[in-house]
Amino acid sequence: DRPVHPPPDRRRNPDPDHPIKPATMTEACESAILGHLSASPDATISDTYPWSSSVGLDHDAVVGAVKSLLGDEYVSAESLTVKFYSLTDEGRGVVENGSQEVIVLKALNEAGDDGLSVADLQEKVGKAVAKIGMGNCMKGKWAKKAGANLVALKSASDVTDETADLLKTLDGSGGDPASIGGDKAAAPLKKRKLVTLVTRKSYSVVRGPSYSPVRTKKSSDLTKEMLDSGAWRTAPFKPYNFAALGEPVGGGYLHPLLKVRAEFRRILMEMGFAEMPTDKWVESSFWNFDALFQPQSHPARDAHDTFFIKEPALTKSVPEEYYERVKSMHERGGSGSIGYRYDFQRGEAMKNLLRTHTTAISSQMLYKLANRPGGFVPQRYFSIDRVFRNETMDATHLCEFHQVEGLVADYDLSLGDLIGTIETFFKKIGIEKLRFKPAFNPYTEPSMEIFGYHPDLKKWTEIGNSGMFRPEMLAPMGLPENVRVIAWGLSLERPTMIKYRIKNIRDLFGHKVEMARTRTAPVCRFDSIEV
């Protein structure tokens, strides 16, 4: 019952001039298996490995045919596992030429009583043989060091090459470790990489419940041709599994940015904010800059910072009465301000652009709020949408990103109200440690940069900007004199990168994003903190 290694030419088709094509190999294997089992009801293939060799078939193809026949119950099979040792190329070299230690000993015998230096020995038998053979010779007390040389203590004719003998025995038995005393005796050979342990899987095969000498292919689908010819009446069909769930439906995954956006939106609505309509990406310079009391000479309005539209280059109209009040505020001032004292250009105000911030929408909402029928009523607004800047792209900057903005318009608001609102929002998204630093913005005064403590980076990092809209911005809108507007904003990308541990913004947004990240990104959930 020892495992048998057939000669290589018998493991596959025995006629090399007419090889079995891969397309018909499975059919040939199935036919051979069913034909063998047709001899009698008790016919069996005790082991497919030697059997496949005896009939000149590839064993892997036979195993594939057995598994296919199992599916239709033509056969029944039992898995067999056999472990044996196979000689490596180095091991076969030992069988042919002797072990390294014997080769070294023979070289020392030929050198005589003076022996050989290590360099001379390496030159004579090779470095690899010398390295292994020297150690084993000295370990077996076949040689010793005499100064700089290695000299023999025994003659090669007086020693037994046990390593070569074990390998010959093992190879002659088909790799059966029992032939040399078991796995323990084979362990040193394996350690020296002279043999490898091979696990071979095969099958014992008998007739199955649906056995037939010839396999009839079952149809998986009812075709038009079957209906036309009537073949469906007698054709065998594969059984249908009506309880199967089917293939998982792909697509429909939310991008990580949208997951964080949905969570921010939920939090802001929970705080009583109403969402502003921000679906218009193209704005006029009037709403994007002029209505915010940003001078027409401001560097942000240059082409290297802003994407201007070529066609149509100019907006059609703006509220003329409001336009005149904004123009007057820029040129001559008002509400305690002297203005910018320059000639306000209508052509500059009418230029179309890709909005640089969602505050362009905020200015329009505040204008509508000031002029609503029935007069002003306090409101809280927020927006989360895309904005565009003509910036050089790198690991932390893109020319388009998402801005989160919130504002509160009410009577007699103060800087304390702004700080309290900001702290409430950031606590709800899990950032409790905040710092505020004075800053400058063209349309807010006072203005503050917002810093949050990053627990992973263990440092303070800028996470947003804030301020109170200037009277020069609010007065032309027609808001009551004691109405104050507090506002704050941050990018959506930065908290998303922190939440999902993304280091490069281009891995989050843009054409280089991996689609797999969208499918595998977990649901965004910020722990709710009572405030």
Side-chain angles (χ1 to χ4, degrees):
D1 294 328
R2 291 175 181 172
V4 178
H5 291 276
D9 61 328
R10 297 190 63 197
R11 295 186 181 183
R12 301 185 182 274
N13 181 40
D15 186 359
D17 295 328
H18 300 86
I20 297 175
K21 295 180 180 179
T24 60
M25 178 69 80
T26 301
E27 295 177 4
C29 293
E30 289 178 358
S31 178
I33 294 168
L34 295 175
H36 182 92
L37 297 178
S38 67
S40 72
D42 297 326
T44 181
I45 299 175
S46 58
D47 190 335
T48 55
Y49 188 81
W51 179 84
S52 62
S53 175
S54 67
V55 296
L57 294 171
D58 177 55
H59 184 249
D60 290 338
V62 170
V63 169
V66 169
K67 291 180 178 179
S68 179
L69 292 170
L70 274 171
D72 288 338
E73 298 185 330
Y74 278 85
V75 300
S76 296
E78 181 181 348
S79 179
L80 304 174
T81 301
V82 176
K83 293 184 177 182
F84 58 90
Y85 287 94
S86 176
L87 271 63
T88 63
D89 291 341
E90 187 176 352
R92 296 201 177 279
V94 170
V95 170
E96 294 175 4
N97 306 314
S99 64
Q100 293 93 333
E101 50 267 33
V102 170
I103 293 174
V104 168
L105 182 59
K106 287 180 180 179
L108 294 177
N109 289 156
E110 292 173 3
D113 296 338
D114 293 334
L116 293 170
S117 66
V118 174
D120 291 339
L121 180 62
Q122 289 177 344
E123 184 178 354
K124 189 174 182 65
V125 301
K127 287 186 177 181
V129 173
K131 181 179 179 181
I132 299 172
M134 285 172 54
N136 289 335
C137 277
M138 296 179 70
K139 185 178 179 181
K141 296 184 179 179
W142 294 358
K144 69 174 183 178
K145 291 281 285 185
N149 289 357
L150 188 70
V151 297
L153 295 177
K154 291 186 177 183
S155 172
S157 59
D158 297 332
V159 300
T160 302
D161 194 346
E162 294 182 358
T163 301
D165 292 344
L166 286 173
L167 289 173
K168 290 176 183 177
T169 303
L170 192 62
D171 191 41
S173 68
D176 185 3
S179 63
I180 60 172
D183 290 327
K184 188 174 181 180
L189 302 178
K190 186 179 179 183
K191 185 177 181 180
R192 289 179 63 172
K193 298 181 180 180
L194 301 176
V195 297
T196 57
L197 182 61
V198 179
T199 300
R200 187 189 69 221
K201 292 186 178 181
S202 57
Y203 288 91
S204 171
V205 186
V206 296
R207 289 186 179 188
S210 302
Y211 171 77
S212 173
V214 178
R215 183 176 190 180
T216 303
K217 294 289 184 181
K218 293 182 178 180
S219 300
S220 58
D221 292 305
L222 183 65
T223 64
K224 178 181 180 297
E225 290 75 18
M226 287 181 176
L227 294 173
D228 291 341
S229 65
W232 62 272
R233 292 186 175 91
T234 56
F237 286 91
K238 292 181 178 180
Y240 281 88
N241 180 8
F242 293 101
L245 296 177
E247 288 290 330
V249 179
Y253 300 96
L254 286 177
H255 189 278
L257 276 175
L258 295 181
K259 293 179 182 181
V260 176
R261 173 182 175 174
E263 185 67 2
F264 277 15
R265 188 170 181 269
R266 181 190 64 80
I267 291 171
L268 287 163
M269 287 184 169
E270 186 181 88
M271 293 174 62
F273 284 78
E275 189 167 13
M276 295 185 284
T278 55
D279 53 348
K280 190 171 68 171
W281 292 355
V282 176
E283 286 289 353
S284 66
S285 295
F286 177 77
W287 288 113
N288 196 84
F289 295 123
D290 298 318
L292 305 182
F293 195 60
Q294 192 162 332
Q296 293 184 337
S297 60
H298 195 280
R301 302 178 70 152
D302 292 340
H304 65 268
D305 286 327
T306 301
F307 291 110
F308 287 95
I309 307 298
K310 287 185 179 180
E311 183 64 33
L314 301 176
T315 191
K316 290 184 177 180
S317 63
V318 295
E320 286 300 325
E321 185 180 347
Y322 178 47
Y323 170 85
E324 293 298 331
R325 292 199 297 268
V326 170
K327 176 183 177 181
S328 175
M329 184 63 74
H330 278 250
E331 291 181 340
R332 295 183 293 276
S335 299
S337 170
I338 63 172
Y340 290 118
R341 301 302 177 100
Y342 69 96
D343 186 14
F344 189 87
Q345 299 295 320
R346 184 180 183 87
E348 187 69 28
M350 295 297 122
K351 288 182 179 179
N352 281 330
L353 49 78
L354 290 177
R355 66 184 180 207
T356 61
H357 47 199
T358 53
T359 316
I361 308 299
S362 301
S363 62
Q364 296 176 57
M365 295 300 292
L366 289 172
Y367 171 74
K368 292 177 181 178
L369 185 62
N371 296 275
R372 66 182 294 275
F376 169 81
V377 292
Q379 286 288 352
R380 298 182 181 189
Y381 291 127
F382 83 93
S383 64
I384 307 174
D385 212 331
R386 198 172 300 187
V387 297
F388 306 87
R389 306 277 176 86
N390 192 0
E391 294 186 353
T392 301
M393 293 188 293
D394 56 29
T396 56
H397 294 85
L398 292 175
C399 59
E400 55 181 308
F401 58 95
H402 294 78
Q403 182 177 347
V404 183
E405 181 170 343
L407 66 89
V408 180
D410 205 344
Y411 295 100
D412 301 320
L413 292 175
S414 66
L415 192 63
D417 296 308
L418 174 61
I419 293 174
T421 303
I422 292 171
E423 287 180 340
T424 300
F425 172 76
F426 280 103
K427 281 183 180 179
K428 284 182 176 290
I429 65 173
I431 302 176
E432 297 188 62
K433 295 183 178 180
L434 294 175
R435 285 179 179 173
F436 300 93
K437 176 184 175 182
F440 170 78
N441 290 317
Y443 47 89
T444 59
E445 181 61 38
S447 305
M448 301 183 299
E449 291 177 346
I450 309 167
F451 290 81
Y453 185 75
H454 195 309
D456 288 345
L457 300 177
K458 299 189 183 304
K459 68 176 185 179
W460 293 89
T461 182
E462 184 181 355
I463 55 177
N465 217 320
S466 65
M468 300 183 68
F469 285 147
R470 295 175 63 143
E472 296 97 323
M473 172 185 166
L474 301 180
M477 293 178 176
L479 289 167
E481 189 175 345
N482 60 336
V483 167
R484 302 288 182 267
V485 180
I486 57 176
W488 45 268
L490 68 153
S491 76
L492 185 64
E493 281 78 3
R494 178 161 292 182
T496 303
M497 292 174 68
I498 294 172
K499 186 72 176 177
Y500 289 100
R501 303 296 192 267
I502 298 172
K503 295 182 179 180
N504 192 323
I505 194 170
R506 288 171 289 191
D507 293 333
L508 173 68
F509 188 71
H511 66 282
K512 294 185 178 181
V513 172
E514 294 182 11
M515 296 305 295
R517 185 188 293 275
T518 300
R519 292 195 298 270
T520 58
V523 172
C524 172
R525 178 65 65 196
F526 294 98
D527 296 332
S528 181
I529 300 175
E530 295 296 331
V531 293

